[in-house]
Amino acid sequence: MKDIMGSPGTLGGLALRVLQFVCAAGSLAAILSAYGFSNYSAFCYLVLQMTLQLIWSFILVCIDTHSLKINWDLHSTGNLWKYVIGDWILAIGSLAAASSATAVAILLAIDVEFCRVNPYLSCSRYKVSVTLASMAWSFTAASAGSTFWLLVSLSE
Amino acid sequence: MKDIMGSPGTLGGLALRVLQFVCAAGSLAAILSAYGFSNYSAFCYLVLQMTLQLIWSFILVCIDTHSLKINWDLHSTGNLWKYVIGDWILAIGSLAAASSATAVAILLAIDVEFCRVNPYLSCSRYKVSVTLASMAWSFTAASAGSTFWLLVSLSE
């Protein structure tokens, strides 16, 4: 079994999945507990995207844990394509969601100073949520990159 | 010379670069002519990113035209790495810029109805600009993908 750091079925890969799951869960918890988030489309999209990320990472955490436990080789090209496609779709979606939500959080906090005028808005939670969403994106991008690289090196 | 559609030094590649250039220029023109864009960080970031995109695509249009004219083979691995790195950085930046600007445009037009309340805001130009920026991103992603694929197939 080729060992590329962060690829499926390795300890590094499992660590990345756990980090994605934790960041997505944190981002989701922060935004869902923030008052008034549903008034902004970007935050609703963030909720959708982080939910998808949470489900995907959870499934992959289970598969990785199982494969490490029974020493199951996940590196067959048939399986890897599915991971690569899923990871890429989620990585692009998460980047779009994190950027959109960050833009709205910056707009509310700095550009129009809504947060200062309306102290009932949970602006600090918006900030925590977008930071965690950006971290979830970076870990998903790392997974997508390493799995793609493994696929390329296996097809050579 | 391997012929992968859209890779540097091919007619398809040149077409993609021209489309990127035209979309970035259109997006930039629309946002710069829109009243009040500089009040929003996301639109300022869009201006920065589309300027970088414009310069990058212009340089690549010149190189591609020149290579097609004198039949210069651009597909040496040394050169391709530079295109791949540049394209990927720009593709990620453009996606972030287009998403951020789209989120702010949607917020102004739909979420808080600023556009209805303040008719002096050039909301239709914001829309044109973000649409063209998203198109510029998709063409950059296509270039990045095909050049990366070429690099992978050459290194096999």
Side-chain angles (χ1 to χ4, degrees):
Chain A
M1 186 162 109
K2 274 208 173 189
D3 198 12
I4 287 184
M5 215 172 80
S7 64
T10 63
L11 265 182
L14 178 62
L16 278 178
R17 297 296 171 191
V18 171
L19 285 168
Q20 287 160 27
F21 180 81
V22 170
C23 289
S27 172
L28 209 53
I31 198 76
L32 287 177
S33 66
Y35 177 80
F37 86 89
S38 58
N39 297 329
Y40 305 103
S41 310
F43 292 146
C44 297
Y45 175 48
L46 186 70
V47 169
L48 170 73
Q49 193 62 45
M50 287 300 116
T51 310
L52 291 176
Q53 179 77 63
L54 200 73
I55 297 169
W56 174 255
S57 300
F58 181 72
I59 295 172
L60 274 282
V61 163
C62 296
I63 295 178
D64 273 3
T65 314
H66 186 66
S67 86
L68 281 170
K69 216 183 258 173
I70 64 164
N71 249 331
W72 174 31
D73 185 3
L74 281 178
H75 294 183
S76 73
T77 317
N79 271 331
L80 285 180
W81 268 112
K82 294 177 210 157
Y83 300 145
V84 170
I85 292 171
D87 270 338
W88 277 89
I89 292 173
L90 275 176
I92 293 175
S94 291
L95 175 58
S99 315
S100 313
T102 306
V104 171
I106 290 177
L107 183 111
L108 295 176
I110 302 171
D111 296 342
V112 294
E113 296 191 333
F114 249 42
C115 294
R116 202 174 48 79
V117 182
N118 304 311
Y120 62 86
L121 275 178
S122 314
C123 287
S124 57
R125 288 191 189 173
Y126 297 161
K127 271 183 217 162
V128 171
S129 179
V130 299
T131 309
L132 287 171
S134 307
M135 288 168 69
W137 166 69
S138 60
F139 295 130
T140 312
S143 279
S146 72
T147 313
F148 184 69
W149 201 247
L150 179 71
L151 192 66
V152 166
S153 66
L154 282 177
S155 68
E156 271 173 20
Chain B
M1 187 162 109
K2 274 209 176 191
D3 199 12
I4 286 185
M5 217 173 78
S7 63
T10 63
L11 265 181
L14 178 62
L16 277 178
R17 296 295 171 190
V18 171
L19 285 169
Q20 286 162 27
F21 180 81
V22 170
C23 289
S27 172
L28 209 52
I31 197 77
L32 287 177
S33 65
Y35 177 81
F37 84 91
S38 59
N39 297 330
Y40 305 103
S41 309
F43 291 147
C44 296
Y45 175 48
L46 186 70
V47 169
L48 170 73
Q49 194 61 46
M50 286 300 116
T51 309
L52 291 175
Q53 179 77 64
L54 199 73
I55 297 169
W56 174 256
S57 300
F58 180 72
I59 295 172
L60 274 282
V61 163
C62 295
I63 295 177
D64 273 2
T65 314
H66 186 64
S67 87
L68 280 172
K69 216 184 255 171
I70 64 163
N71 249 330
W72 174 33
D73 185 4
L74 283 177
H75 293 183
S76 72
T77 318
N79 271 330
L80 285 180
W81 267 111
K82 295 177 209 156
Y83 299 143
V84 170
I85 293 172
D87 269 338
W88 277 89
I89 292 173
L90 276 176
I92 292 174
S94 292
L95 176 58
S99 316
S100 313
T102 305
V104 171
I106 289 175
L107 182 111
L108 294 175
I110 302 171
D111 295 342
V112 294
E113 296 191 333
F114 250 42
C115 294
R116 202 174 47 80
V117 183
N118 305 309
Y120 62 86
L121 275 178
S122 315
C123 287
S124 57
R125 288 191 189 173
Y126 297 161
K127 272 183 218 162
V128 172
S129 180
V130 299
T131 309
L132 286 170
S134 306
M135 288 168 68
W137 165 70
S138 59
F139 295 131
T140 311
S143 279
S146 72
T147 314
F148 184 69
W149 201 246
L150 179 71
L151 192 67
V152 166
S153 66
L154 282 177
S155 69
E156 270 172 20

